[in-house]
Amino acid sequence: MLKLRNVTKKFGELTAVNNLSFEVSQGQVFGIAGPNGAGKSTLYNLISGLYSFEGSILFNNKDISGLQPHKIAKLGISRTFQIPQTFPSLTIEKSIGVGNYFGSRDGFEPSYVDRIIDFVNLTDKRKKLTGQLNLLDKKMLMIGAALATKPAILMLDEPMAGSNAKEIKSLMELIKRINQDMGITIIIIEHFMKVLTELTERLLIIETGTEICCGDPVEVTSDPRVIECYLGDSHD
Ligand SMILES: Nc1ncnc2c1ncn2[C@@H]1O[C@H](COP(=O)(O)OP(=O)(O)O)[C@@H](O)[C@H]1O
Ligand SMILES: [Mg+2]
């Protein structure tokens, strides 16, 4: 469904993504992990069309390299950000409506917006301004706005960051429902190995932009090269 071929991104002297090739199949939950600065978020920025790069990215066999971000979104690739981005002066329903209005190929559909608000468990708070929300609700809102674009692929950037155990559980349940009930393919960048091994079917580990290994998440997380580069002393 999504295929990266020899993708490289340099910022001046720094190679943030180094000759990466991998494939995500339809319906999969695909994980990406690696130390801070490994190039994970940059990879999302390349897939969503924010920067030019070397190599190519194919979505359903169509080369999307060089397409503008709004065109890539309309084709069905949506993403969230590491730090929740909301419109503080808009209500939840308006914010999710913005995603639907600007991102969906089918145009604005209020009933679809209602369905998404419900799906992310924000119906009771739909009239609240997003600036007043706690971190978990902001995350739910950001995921809801991304879902409102009717994506085929949803890319989540460290969705669990800063969350407590209960919030992690809610987010994991939501991600499973997005994948299983809505049939949306998911790419997830995450640090929590437990989350990755429970949610993902395939896991890619990168360090300084380069692939360390890719495969079954349980095997990958017990690979000595991964323990060395990524888990380090915290593996216990
Ligand atoms: N727009 C940019 N300009 C220059 N350097 C950048 C830019 N974006 C990211 N980088 C650098 O690229 C590397 C990878 O960053 P990033 O993709 O954010 O890592 P990760 O998400 O894995 O923590 C880092 O060294 C970062 O400083
Ligand atoms: Mg990042």
Side-chain angles (χ1 to χ4, degrees):
M1 183 178 213
L2 187 74
K3 205 182 279 181
L4 277 77
R5 282 199 201 134
N6 307 104
V7 170
T8 294
K9 176 64 192 174
K10 293 180 184 145
F11 294 111
E13 296 281 288
L14 177 95
T15 303
V17 174
N18 185 13
N19 198 29
L20 276 187
S21 298
F22 64 89
E23 194 172 341
V24 180
S25 17
Q26 177 138 19
Q28 211 168 37
V29 180
F30 186 95
I32 301 174
N36 285 327
K40 306 180 297 297
S41 297
T42 300
L43 204 47
Y44 278 9
N45 291 337
L46 303 184
I47 296 168
S48 49
L50 296 182
Y51 302 128
S52 61
F53 56 91
E54 297 160 49
S56 57
I57 300 179
L58 286 91
F59 175 55
N60 291 332
N61 296 318
K62 178 186 157 69
D63 195 340
I64 59 164
S65 322
L67 282 188
Q68 292 165 293
H70 69 276
K71 293 203 172 129
I72 293 176
K74 281 248 161 84
L75 284 175
I77 302 179
S78 191
R79 56 91 59 92
T80 63
F81 291 86
Q82 220 168 323
I83 296 164
Q85 310 282 321
T86 67
F87 301 112
S89 61
L90 289 189
T91 60
I92 286 179
E93 59 184 15
K94 286 255 162 60
S95 304
I96 293 185
V98 166
N100 186 245
Y101 186 90
F102 289 104
S104 166
R105 297 175 290 285
D106 302 332
F108 183 54
E109 293 169 288
S111 63
Y112 192 76
V113 173
D114 289 347
R115 189 184 147 207
I116 297 298
I117 293 171
D118 194 45
F119 197 85
V120 296
N121 303 322
L122 290 173
T123 300
D124 296 347
K125 300 175 187 161
R126 59 183 292 154
K127 301 280 181 203
K128 264 198 166 186
L129 295 179
T130 71
Q132 305 169 338
L133 301 177
N134 65 31
L135 181 66
L136 179 66
D137 287 342
K138 272 192 183 151
K139 287 179 175 185
M140 293 294 199
L141 168 68
M142 184 169 53
I143 293 172
L147 289 175
T149 69
K150 296 193 170 174
I153 299 185
L154 176 64
M155 304 194 291
L156 300 163
D157 196 349
E158 297 194 28
M160 311 297 169
S163 301
N164 64 32
K166 193 168 159 239
E167 292 164 345
I168 289 176
K169 197 163 166 269
S170 305
L171 285 162
M172 279 177 69
E173 274 163 17
L174 178 67
I175 293 167
K176 281 183 194 165
R177 284 198 294 127
I178 293 169
N179 180 243
Q180 287 162 15
D181 300 352
M182 299 183 101
I184 294 174
T185 303
I186 290 183
I187 309 179
I188 176 169
I189 295 173
E190 196 42 76
H191 281 302
F192 291 104
M193 284 298 152
K194 261 205 177 119
V195 172
L196 288 167
T197 49
E198 190 178 324
L199 281 183
T200 70
E201 287 148 58
R202 239 179 122 68
L203 178 58
L204 168 71
I205 308 284
I206 57 175
E207 186 188 24
T208 54
T210 309
E211 173 176 338
I212 301 293
C213 60
C214 185
D216 174 80
V218 176
E219 281 170 29
V220 163
T221 48
S222 51
D223 186 308
R225 290 168 301 167
V226 174
I227 295 168
E228 165 77 17
C229 96
Y230 180 63
L231 301 167
D233 295 339
S234 66
H235 188 54
D236 299 343

